Amino acid sequence: MLLKDRVALVTGASRGIGAAIAKQLAKEGAAVGVNYFSSPDAAREVVQRIEKAGGRATAVRGDTRNNGEVEAMVAEVERTLGPIDILVVNASMSFPMVPFLDFKWADFEAKLIGEIGSAFHACRAVVPGMVERGHGAVIAISSTLSRHPGPGFSAHTTAKSGLDGFMKSLALELGPQGVRVNVIAPGLTETDATAHLPAEMKAGIAQQIPLGRCAVPDDIATMVTFLASDNAAYLTGAYIPACGGLLML
């Protein structure tokens, strides 16, 4: 198994892409902290599925926008499972999908500060331990919209662009200390967060994708597993668009 004897923390892991990542990391041998904010039953279900398959996991509540809650969450994971080797920054803040001219600053600010704050607090709580031990992997889940904006997504594009820049800075500073930092940017992915989108819209996007379909959560989870493993030991500072070729860099 690629991640045997390692410990991972996945933020926003009770459903969708985060849940798939948690289960995939566990499948490859990692003990996993499954962070949730408002979905305890869903988080417990993820843990139960991991344990049923023979893995180790624990559900930990925490608002990743709150530094104190993040520090408590990290302490609980390390007390229960051990020092964290892998941090997946996946928690994402909701936002109104409206044209810029209809945006209120309070909504825009909440998305921007929430997204960057969530990543900052998680990294600030976990990375010092990685540096002390001389190894670790941080993987942030961004979006192809950070490089290829869409109508109504100005707040999301801005927040994810900031996340990308933050991760590049960390990759530069932490590489010499044995910590790798990379970004995966999914395209349209079939989750409950996108279930409200019209089927014809999804079909139209799929027709533009060279691989002919939208992503499913497991497509993203397997990439995270690769980046967390020693197979990616010489990879840091990367931005990987996981979108079937719709965005090519």
Side-chain angles (χ1 to χ4, degrees):
M1 292 188 287
L2 291 174
L3 304 174
K4 184 179 179 182
D5 298 328
R6 298 186 190 179
V7 175
L9 170 61
V10 184
T11 65
S14 63
R15 57 186 182 177
I17 291 174
I21 291 170
K23 287 181 279 190
Q24 182 65 29
L25 294 177
K27 181 179 178 181
E28 291 295 341
V32 184
V34 178
N35 163 247
Y36 69 94
F37 175 49
S38 59
S39 304
D41 293 340
R44 281 193 288 267
E45 182 179 350
V46 173
V47 170
Q48 289 168 1
R49 291 187 64 174
I50 289 172
E51 292 177 338
K52 186 176 181 180
R56 296 172 61 214
T58 185
V60 282
R61 187 195 177 281
D63 182 348
T64 55
R65 296 166 295 187
N66 183 294
N67 185 55
E69 292 190 26
V70 170
E71 289 182 346
M73 171 182 69
V74 169
E76 182 178 348
V77 170
E78 296 197 326
R79 183 172 58 250
T80 305
L81 302 176
I84 296 170
D85 306 290
I86 302 160
L87 171 63
V88 183
V89 179
N90 172 72
S92 184
M93 310 306 127
S94 60
F95 63 96
M97 194 175 74
V98 296
F100 169 71
L101 293 179
D102 295 331
F103 237 112
K104 297 178 181 178
W105 169 243
D107 293 332
F108 198 96
E109 181 183 39
K111 172 64 174 176
L112 181 60
I113 301 302
E115 197 89 23
I116 302 302
S118 176
F120 180 92
H121 298 319
C123 290
R124 195 65 188 84
V126 173
V127 166
M130 293 179 172
V131 170
E132 183 178 344
R133 293 185 297 275
H135 69 86
V138 178
I139 301 105
I141 306 303
S142 181
S143 168
T144 53
L145 289 164
S146 72
R147 303 284 184 95
H148 190 267
F153 285 91
S154 60
H156 188 66
T157 293
T158 304
K160 290 299 188 182
S161 296
L163 177 65
D164 297 348
F166 179 44
M167 290 297 133
K168 283 197 292 186
S169 295
L170 292 188
L172 177 67
E173 292 189 20
L174 301 177
Q177 300 175 77
V179 180
R180 298 182 297 103
V181 184
N182 292 290
V183 170
I184 294 177
L188 179 60
T189 305
E190 296 282 4
T191 67
D192 55 351
T194 60
H196 67 285
L197 297 177
E200 56 271 22
M201 175 188 292
K202 295 179 182 179
I205 293 173
Q207 289 178 354
Q208 301 174 52
I209 296 173
L211 293 185
R213 64 176 178 84
C214 296
V216 295
D218 282 346
D219 291 321
I220 314 305
T222 53
M223 293 186 187
V224 171
T225 300
F226 164 69
L227 289 176
S229 76
D230 290 341
N231 287 341
Y234 197 58
L235 188 61
T236 196
Y239 173 96
I240 302 174
C243 58
L246 186 59
L247 173 63
M248 298 186 183
L249 302 178

